[in-house]
Amino acid sequence: MDWLPSIDLSHLWDLVIAQTPTPTPTPTPSPVLTPAKNLNDIELLKSQLEFLKATNGQLGESFNRFVAAMQFTLGVFAFLGVFLSFVVGKNLDDAKKVASQLINREVENKIADLVQYEVENVKRSLQREKVIGSTTVDYYLPSYDNEPHDYKLLQQRGFKDVRFYNRQKIPKQPIGDVFVLDLINLNLFSGQEFAGLSKEDAENKREEKVKIQIDSILPWMKITTVLVIYVKGRFREIDNLATQVDYYYVAVNAPISLMGIVADSAYVAYGEKQ
């Protein structure tokens, strides 16, 4: 396309006219021309030539302007293409950097949150274990039997001390932070004394036995001790403790529950001492 502006269409037209062969006239009888007719033909021919030459010049100029405009337009588009490629490429690089920074920051924040969450869990666990490690548990079985399996489970929990008492070895003052009254391993409701009793009488008999055992340990208790009553079933005497004592108490009826309740009671007792 670079050769287009160098072409002069006016010269091209002159060249075409110059190369066109002049037709050989057919011999005809020569008419007698008057001077006025010859002059008019010459003027008409001159005007036609001038028109063609002017038209050719206008076409050449228009074509040259068109070529120049196309060259300018292509140049502008080429420049814009280079500029846009540079800008977009740079923006893409910046976008990648920003996206990478945002992703890294978000990942770091998430990791920090998770680490903080786990740290708080560890702190709570350590605090809980610290409380348990400073808690003394007194385990009382009101019979002459030896340590039951439930007591041995509590020994493995990590308390500061788990002391066993029975009818032969009565608890000494001051008692521990948590006091377990074991009525399950006592077999309190077995024996011939329940044989032949009606349902109502048997229930009253059980209530009486529970009341005797609870009343026997109340004098040993202190206000900062949590009482855990290990017994199956629900009893009015246990519910009525709310009107008799100022300390915390709870009933539990299974070994797994006993482990959890004694640990929770240690935390309550710790709070009461603070």
Side-chain angles (χ1 to χ4, degrees), residues 30-140:
S30 299
V32 179
L33 300 177
T34 62
K37 184 172 179 61
N38 291 336
L39 181 61
N40 291 334
D41 291 340
I42 292 172
E43 292 298 328
L44 177 62
L45 180 61
K46 286 176 61 179
S47 64
Q48 289 175 344
L49 291 176
E50 290 294 333
F51 173 77
L52 290 174
K53 185 175 181 180
T55 303
N56 176 62
Q58 292 175 356
L59 289 174
E61 291 178 1
S62 298
F63 186 74
N64 289 336
R65 286 196 298 270
F66 170 76
V67 171
M70 289 299 297
Q71 287 181 327
F72 175 77
T73 302
L74 292 175
V76 170
F77 275 114
F79 172 77
L80 289 177
V82 174
F83 176 75
L84 289 175
S85 298
F86 172 76
V87 172
V88 171
K90 188 172 182 180
N91 286 342
L92 286 176
D93 291 338
D94 292 342
K96 291 178 181 178
K97 291 179 181 178
V98 172
S100 177
Q101 292 173 355
L102 291 176
I103 292 173
N104 290 335
R105 187 182 310 164
E106 188 66 19
V107 170
E108 290 174 358
N109 291 338
K110 292 295 183 183
I111 293 176
D113 291 341
L114 290 174
V115 170
Q116 185 62 31
Y117 177 78
E118 293 301 328
V119 167
E120 293 300 325
N121 283 339
V122 171
K123 285 182 179 180
R124 285 192 293 269
S125 298
L126 291 176
Q127 179 63 24
R128 185 180 180 87
E129 293 304 315
K130 179 181 177 181
V131 170
I132 290 176
S134 64
T135 299
T136 300
V137 178
D138 286 344
Y139 191 103
Y140 178 56

Side-chain angles (χ1 to χ4, degrees), residues 239-258:
D239 295 336
N240 292 338
L241 278 176
T243 62
Q244 302 177 47
V245 300
D246 296 328
Y247 46 80
Y248 293 98
Y249 67 92
V250 61
V252 59
N253 60 9
I256 295 178
S257 301
L258 178 66

Side-chain angles (χ1 to χ4, degrees), residues 128 259-269:
R128 185 180 180 87
M259 296 290 291
I261 290 297
V262 173
D264 291 339
S265 299
Y267 212 75
V268 173

